[in-house]
Structures are given as C-alpha cells and as structure tokens.
Amino acid sequence: MAKKFHVYLTYDERRLLINSLIEKKNKLIATGHYTDAIDEILIKVMNAKIKKARVKEV
C-alpha cells in the first residue's frame, strides 16, 4: 500500500507550485517529452481541498 502524504501550503506557496508545474510542462512539450506525470500532479494540486488553518506561534 502506498503511503499518503499531506502537504499544507499557503495561498502563495500553492500558486507558486502550480505556476512551476505549468512551466515544467511547457518545457517538456517544447522538447517533445511526455507530460503525463506533471498532468497528474497538477490535477491533484488544483483539485485539493483548501482548508484554513491557524498557526500558533510559540
């Protein structure tokens, strides 16, 4: 059974991740490579639930 990981990102981190994945996908398309893995990750990130959380400073 594969392990599942939960990643908590801020709005800016999520936006940066999506933009980076899109840039990587464009580079792969330009060089003629497959983008299947990037597409799957991009779909998962974009469809992930957005959950508000508070961070308590110590």
Side-chain angles (χ1 to χ4, degrees):
M1 187 164 135
K3 286 187 175 184
K4 289 188 178 183
F5 294 94
H6 296 271
V7 178
Y8 296 96
L9 303 171
T10 64
Y11 174 79
D12 292 330
E13 292 169 338
R14 183 176 183 268
R15 184 175 46 86
L16 181 64
L17 177 62
I18 291 171
N19 287 338
S20 299
L21 288 169
I22 290 171
E23 284 181 24
K24 180 66 175 176
K25 181 179 175 179
N26 289 337
K27 286 180 185 177
L28 289 173
I29 290 171
T31 58
H33 290 88
Y34 292 109
T35 61
D36 298 341
I38 300 292
D39 291 337
E40 289 179 25
I41 297 169
L42 195 55
I43 289 170
K44 285 183 181 183
V45 170
M46 293 177 76
N47 288 337
K49 288 189 262 181
I50 297 174
K51 185 176 184 181
K52 290 187 179 181
R54 291 188 188 175
V55 177
K56 190 174 185 179
E57 293 185 29
V58 180

